[in-house]
Amino acid sequence: MCCVLLLAGIHSARAQQPCHDEPQVVFRFISGNDMFYIPWNDNGARLDSLCERLDPAKLETDSVRVDGYGSSKKIVKIHCNRVKSALILRRGLTEDHFTTTNRIGSFNGLSDVVVVTCPVLEQRATETPVTTEREADRQPERQQTVTEKTQEPTQETTTTSDRQQTVIHEVTKEAQVQTGETPKPVPSRWYAGLNVGIPFFWGDMLSTAADKTHVGFAAGVQGGYHISDLLAVSLSVDYARGKLGARDYAEDYLLAPDGMTWYVPQEQAMQRYGDLYSKVSLVNVGLSRDMNINRIFGKPAAGHRFTVWGSPTVYGQFFSADIYTKADDKRYSDGTTKPDGLSLGLGGALTLRYRVTRCIGLQLKNSLLWMTDNHFDGIRTPFGKTKHNTLWMPQVGILWNIK
């Protein structure tokens, strides 16, 4: 009788062993980023080992526990969904197999981790262990499953041997159907940038004049907000200045000091277009709606290091202009013809961006716009209605992503 009671007590003690004796696998995430980088930090090896050992046919409902740890329940929930989706897609598990907990805090001193705890691990088919009853009674000590690594992933997409690209950026439609949840997009980000470039003006006079091409200078700042991987809004402020000269067919046109153009001599003083040049300065403020053109080809393309952005833009412009003589660089205009205080411009930009790191990017920005201010170059035509004035401003710049 005593032996029976003793055996019963031993069995009861074993049944009440704490859950931390169950096998645990820890997956690491980059702080502040919800993407599951599988090849990074041994995540791939752990995922492969876990998938090979799990047998969905032998798992009971709610038998696989998924615990997420981090500083925000929102990001922790996404981390857990990433890991569950990987197991669903690779091993055929269903949402019924999981019980999920999102925790604020750390696990064994580690934050931004997902811990998968499984009561049943199937041994690999290639293993044929021979154990005795005494060995079976021994409980191996649980080993730490995370090795601290400080290196960051060098690419968002890495190819492993005999596998396709293994970065899971978001849950696929198949996983969404099985989990019943729709993953949230990558958190939006603010960004700021600096640009320098060369402005090219076209009006009554133009930068690419008959005698030479006048090279100007432009510098500006921009800032924006990524609404999604497809859309963003941005605000830019640029300062530009440059010289303009006469067209080849207009060198003999005559200009009066008040900015009026004549084609035959008059009684008042006049100068040939070919003997004059216009000096223009501009403050250009643009409000843009930006679209990631890569997104047309799918979400993976939208996250590529190279992206192309199209930006329809409305501009507010402030011009300053005067006419000078080439011979002595003295001001020729009398100041009566001035650009408007504020004029509008319509156009946009086509931008090629390259992501150097997660925080820094480079861009080649080409802006082309139509300007409504017909006096921007200090000249007015006899009819005063010709408004085919344009500005092309290629720029290079650097961008900073602000979390």
Side-chain angles (χ1 to χ4, degrees):
M1 184 66 177
C2 293
C3 292
V4 173
L5 293 175
L6 179 60
L7 291 175
I10 293 174
H11 177 74
S12 175
R14 288 179 178 177
Q16 297 176 2
Q17 283 184 340
C19 61
H20 60 73
D21 287 336
E22 298 172 344
Q24 293 178 319
V25 179
V26 180
F27 297 101
R28 300 292 305 277
F29 285 79
I30 298 174
S31 178
N33 195 316
D34 68 3
M35 294 180 67
F36 187 18
Y37 294 96
I38 292 180
W40 177 65
N41 237 321
D42 286 343
N43 283 342
R46 296 191 187 100
L47 182 60
D48 290 341
S49 176
L50 183 59
C51 289
E52 289 177 6
R53 293 174 179 269
L54 284 175
D55 186 353
K58 296 183 179 181
L59 291 175
E60 298 178 357
T61 300
D62 297 332
S63 60
V64 180
R65 193 168 74 247
V66 179
D67 297 308
Y69 298 83
S71 59
S72 165
K73 282 197 173 183
K74 175 182 177 181
I75 196 72
V76 169
K77 181 179 179 181
I78 298 176
H79 288 171
C80 291
N81 286 340
R82 297 282 192 247
V83 174
K84 289 193 296 182
S85 298
L87 294 174
I88 289 171
L89 292 174
R90 291 188 175 211
R91 199 63 183 94
L93 275 66
T94 67
E95 181 68 20
D96 293 337
H97 287 122
F98 300 106
T99 177
T100 307
T101 305
N102 305 316
R103 305 174 186 273
I104 301 296
S106 61
F107 174 80
N108 289 343
L110 299 175
S111 186
D112 297 294
V113 298
V114 172
V115 182
V116 179
T117 305
C118 306
V120 178
L121 290 179
E122 289 295 319
Q123 294 190 357
R124 300 178 184 180
T126 57
E127 297 177 352
T128 55
V130 178
T131 58
T132 63
E133 292 182 359
R134 181 175 299 178
E135 292 173 341
D137 289 336
R138 295 176 182 174
Q139 292 290 336
E141 296 182 355
R142 181 171 61 88
Q143 298 179 352
Q144 184 177 359
T145 59
V146 175
T147 302
E148 285 293 329
K149 293 190 176 183
T150 58
Q151 67 270 24
E152 294 289 323
T154 58
Q155 296 181 354
E156 289 189 3
T157 303
T158 305
T159 303
T160 59
S161 58
D162 300 329
R163 295 184 180 274
Q164 296 179 344
Q165 294 175 335
T166 54
V167 172
I168 297 181
H169 180 69
E170 63 176 52
V171 184
T172 63
K173 291 183 179 180
E174 179 183 353
Q176 293 176 22
V177 172
Q178 295 187 18
T179 61
E181 296 185 9
T182 301
K184 295 182 179 180
V186 176
S188 300
R189 292 290 184 267
W190 294 93
Y191 72 92
L194 296 175
N195 302 299
V196 294
I198 301 174
F200 293 92
F201 297 93
W202 284 270
D204 292 297
M205 288 189 174
L206 69 169
S207 299
T208 54
D211 58 340
K212 63 180 295 186
T213 296
H214 300 278
V215 179
F217 172 78
V221 296
Q222 72 179 92
Y225 180 75
H226 287 117
I227 301 172
S228 67
D229 58 358
L230 173 64
L231 297 176
V233 292
S234 62
L235 179 68
S236 62
V237 180
D238 295 289
Y239 172 78
R241 62 185 302 172
K243 289 183 178 180
L244 289 72
R247 304 170 187 266
D248 54 359
Y249 64 81
E251 287 188 295
D252 292 328
Y253 287 2
L254 301 175
L255 185 69
D258 63 358
M260 179 66 73
T261 300
W262 298 91
Y263 305 103
V264 295
Q266 304 293 317
E267 294 182 358
Q268 60 180 321
M270 288 181 288
Q271 288 269 19
R272 292 175 62 251
Y273 266 39
D275 298 328
L276 304 171
Y277 68 86
S278 174
K279 184 182 293 185
V280 178
S281 61
L282 162 69
V283 175
N284 198 40
V285 181
L287 180 62
S288 306
R289 183 66 177 268
D290 308 320
M291 182 178 70
N292 187 347
I293 298 177
N294 285 37
R295 182 62 178 82
I296 298 174
F297 304 100
K299 284 186 175 291
H304 197 272
R305 286 187 177 272
F306 285 98
T307 53
V308 179
W309 292 77
S311 306
T313 309
V314 176
Y315 298 93
Q317 300 178 305
F318 302 87
F319 286 98
S320 175
D322 273 309
I323 303 297
Y324 294 82
T325 56
K326 290 181 180 179
D328 52 12
D329 290 324
K330 291 184 178 180
R331 193 174 76 170
Y332 174 73
S333 56
D334 61 9
T336 58
T337 301
K338 295 182 178 180
D340 298 332
L342 169 64
S343 59
L344 296 180
L346 298 175
L350 186 65
T351 306
L352 174 64
R353 293 179 181 175
Y354 174 72
R355 188 181 66 254
V356 180
T357 67
R358 286 189 300 144
C359 297
I360 299 177
L362 302 176
Q363 70 174 6
L364 175 61
K365 182 179 181 182
N366 282 279
S367 301
L368 182 65
L369 60 138
W370 169 65
M371 302 179 296
T372 61
D373 192 337
N374 195 38
H375 299 165
F376 84 94
D377 51 5
I379 299 175
R380 56 191 175 105
T381 64
F383 302 101
K385 297 180 180 179
T386 304
K387 295 184 178 180
H388 303 300
N389 308 304
T390 56
L391 168 64
W392 173 46
M393 190 160 57
Q395 296 173 291
V396 294
I398 183 170
L399 300 175
W400 290 272
N401 290 320
I402 305 172
K403 295 183 178 181

